[in-house]
Structure formats: C-alpha cells, structure tokens
C-alpha cells in the first residue's frame, strides 16, 4: 500500500481530530503528531500517509483518519495506491459523508440544541474578525450570520494578514481556505439536505459553554498543548 497526502491536508485532518470528541487515545494522538512532525521535517509537500494510517489503525476505535481514508478510497481505481490532496481533506469534512457520520452518533436525549451541535461537527468557511480583545469567526449565507465565539486558533496555523477565509470545525480553526476552497466547501454544504434549515436556527455558538461539554474551548486547548509538548 502506498498512499501519500498533501502536508497541509494532513495538518488539517489532525487539527480536526483534536477539535472533536473522537475516541482517540492520548497515546495514539501523541504518536500521530510525532509522526506528523517527522514528516514535516522532511520539507516535502507530499508525504507518506501510510505510516499515519498504521498508527490510526492501532487505536481501539475508529478515528477521523479511518474516515478520510474511506472517503478518498471510494473515488480511486486502486484504493491501495493514491494521493490525497488538501481539497480531498476539506471535502471529507464538509460533505454529506461527514454530516451523516455525525448525525448517526448524536445522542438526541442529551444534546441541548441539535442545530448548533450538528453544524459545529462539519467544516464551515468563516471570516475571522477581531471583537474587542477576542477573535470571532463569522459564517454568512443567504443574508444570515452565525457568530462562533471563544474559538481556538492553533499557533501552528500561522494566520496571514491577507487571508480572510478559514475553515472552522468544532470551534477550532483547522485551515486557511483559498477562494476556490471556499466555493468547494459551500457547494458541498448546500448538498446536505438539512443544512439550510439548521443554519437558520443559529445566531451564536459559544464554545466556552457548549452543549453538555461545558467549557469546550479549554478542553481543546489542553489537547493541543499535550500534542505540542515538545
């Protein structure tokens, strides 16, 4: 098996993994990021994804890396030999494929607000705006805004002053987005049957007090701190 991935795409899927409550063991997270740093040190844009998968497959439960591999392999003639682009990763997180995965695992008995929970679990294109001392993310569609407050922006993302488009997943900014990637994301979001009706139910999502997770942003900060301990 020989599978390669764009390094930016690998960073995005790993950031998305840390942003969510996926059942990934601490040991697995650390191994994945150690391997990511090793691949990053090679200073290549296209890196080995097979070694990442081997670590992910050792986790007792399914991980976002499993999902990414499955999503991409469906469109390949040879599912054991192919390349994963950054766009592939973005599509895997904003498409009906990802939305359906999340909607199947939601516990409707305890989720306080279904719309904000489901929308948080998919990648959304946003603009970052300074609000007093904080940075908030804003998603606009059909003359309706959603404001994401108390978000987390990883230091390794290296925000650029001339970049206004970013992708947010569970309150974490996981990637910058080109104009083309914003278009890709919006088109796939529109294909989600419930997307329009869910968005209209939301004005603000605050990750300092999110659903039954409580101070979710602090939890995510701690996970990133642990994986970037070196």
């Amino acid at each position: 098996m020989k599978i390669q991935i764009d390094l930016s795409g690998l960073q995005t899927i790993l950031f998305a993994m840390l942003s969510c409550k996926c059942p990934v063991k601490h040991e697995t997270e650390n191994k994945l990021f150690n391997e990511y740093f090793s691949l990053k040190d090679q200073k290549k844009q296209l890196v080995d994804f097979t070694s990442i998968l081997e670590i992910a497959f050792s986790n007792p439960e399914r991980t976002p890396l499993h999902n990414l591999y499955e999503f991409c392999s469906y469109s390949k003639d040879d599912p054991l030999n192919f390349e994963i682009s950054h766009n592939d990763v973005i599509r895997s997180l904003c498409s009906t494929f990802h939305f359906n995965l999340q909607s199947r695992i939601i516990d409707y008995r305890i989720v306080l607000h279904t719309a904000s929970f489901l929308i948080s679990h998919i990648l959304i294109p946003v603009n970052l705006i300074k609000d007093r001392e904080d940075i908030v993310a804003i998603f606009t569609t059909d003359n309706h805004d959603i404001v994401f407050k108390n978000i987390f922006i990883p230091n390794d993302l290296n925000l650029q002053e001339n970049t206004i488009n970013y992708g947010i997943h569970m309150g974490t900014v996981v990637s910058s987005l080109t104009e083309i990637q914003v278009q890709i994301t919006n088109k796939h979001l529109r294909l989600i049957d419930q997307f329009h009706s869910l968005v209209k139910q939301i004005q603000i999502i605050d990750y300092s007090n999110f659903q039954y997770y409580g101070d979710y942003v602090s939890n995510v900060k701690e996970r990133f701190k642990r994986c970037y301990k070196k």
Side-chain angles (χ1 to χ4, degrees):
M1 182 165 70
K2 183 179 180 182
I3 304 173
Q4 294 181 296
I5 186 170
D6 181 281
L7 185 63
S8 298
L10 178 57
Q11 181 189 69
T12 297
I13 192 64
L14 290 176
F15 282 5
M17 178 189 73
L18 291 186
S19 75
C20 71
K21 283 282 189 177
C22 302
V24 183
K25 295 176 63 177
H26 295 175
E27 179 184 2
T28 305
E29 287 178 354
N30 288 330
K31 287 181 178 179
L32 286 169
F33 271 87
N34 286 338
E35 182 65 14
Y36 163 70
F37 291 131
S38 174
L39 294 170
K40 187 178 179 182
D41 288 344
Q42 296 177 15
K43 301 188 183 304
K44 296 179 181 178
Q45 192 56 38
L46 202 61
V47 297
D48 179 38
F49 190 60
T50 308
S51 60
I52 291 286
L53 280 180
E54 288 175 353
I55 297 170
F57 288 166
S58 69
N59 194 69
E61 297 187 63
R62 189 180 180 91
T63 73
L65 288 310
H66 289 74
N67 298 336
L68 177 63
Y69 169 72
E70 182 178 322
F71 176 84
C72 293
S73 66
Y74 287 156
S75 63
K76 308 300 180 182
D77 293 336
D78 185 350
L80 300 180
N81 294 276
F82 61 90
E83 295 177 1
I84 299 173
S85 69
H86 195 185
N87 286 357
D88 287 330
V89 176
I90 290 168
R91 287 186 294 105
S92 75
L93 292 170
C94 70
S95 62
T96 302
F97 172 86
H98 190 64
F99 181 83
N100 287 344
L101 286 175
Q102 304 311 314
S103 60
R104 285 199 297 268
I105 64 173
I106 185 173
D107 189 339
Y108 292 96
R109 297 169 301 176
I110 57 177
V111 169
L112 302 177
H113 192 251
T114 302
S116 59
F117 191 85
L118 289 173
I119 291 300
S120 288
H121 276 77
I122 50 179
L123 187 143
I124 301 291
V126 295
N127 299 131
L128 299 183
I129 298 175
K130 192 163 186 178
D131 180 21
R132 297 179 183 176
E133 297 303 315
D134 298 323
I135 294 179
V136 300
I138 298 180
F139 170 63
T140 302
T141 183
D142 298 329
N143 297 316
H144 178 78
D145 290 344
I146 298 178
V147 179
F148 299 86
K149 299 178 65 176
N150 289 297
I151 61 175
F152 178 66
I153 304 173
N155 291 332
D156 209 30
L157 198 60
N158 295 323
L159 299 187
Q160 302 297 318
E161 289 186 4
N162 61 344
T163 302
I164 60 172
N165 301 312
Y166 294 89
I168 194 169
H169 181 271
M170 283 296 289
T172 295
V173 179
V174 297
S175 178
S176 60
L177 300 176
T178 65
E179 288 292 342
I180 290 176
Q181 288 170 335
V182 171
Q183 293 175 26
I184 289 171
T185 306
N186 281 324
K187 287 177 181 179
H188 279 276
L189 290 174
R190 291 192 189 103
L191 288 178
I192 300 173
D193 290 338
Q194 303 175 50
F195 182 74
H196 180 77
S197 62
L198 291 171
V199 165
K200 290 297 184 181
Q201 300 175 45
I202 309 167
Q203 283 76 45
I204 296 174
I205 302 179
D206 186 346
Y207 293 97
S208 68
N209 184 24
F210 181 64
Q211 304 285 332
Y212 54 87
Y213 293 150
D215 186 0
Y216 189 73
V217 66
S218 293
N219 175 269
V220 174
K221 287 178 180 178
E222 187 60 33
R223 293 181 76 182
F224 270 84
K225 181 179 178 181
R226 185 171 63 239
C227 288
Y228 277 79
K229 61 182 181 296
K230 71 174 188 175

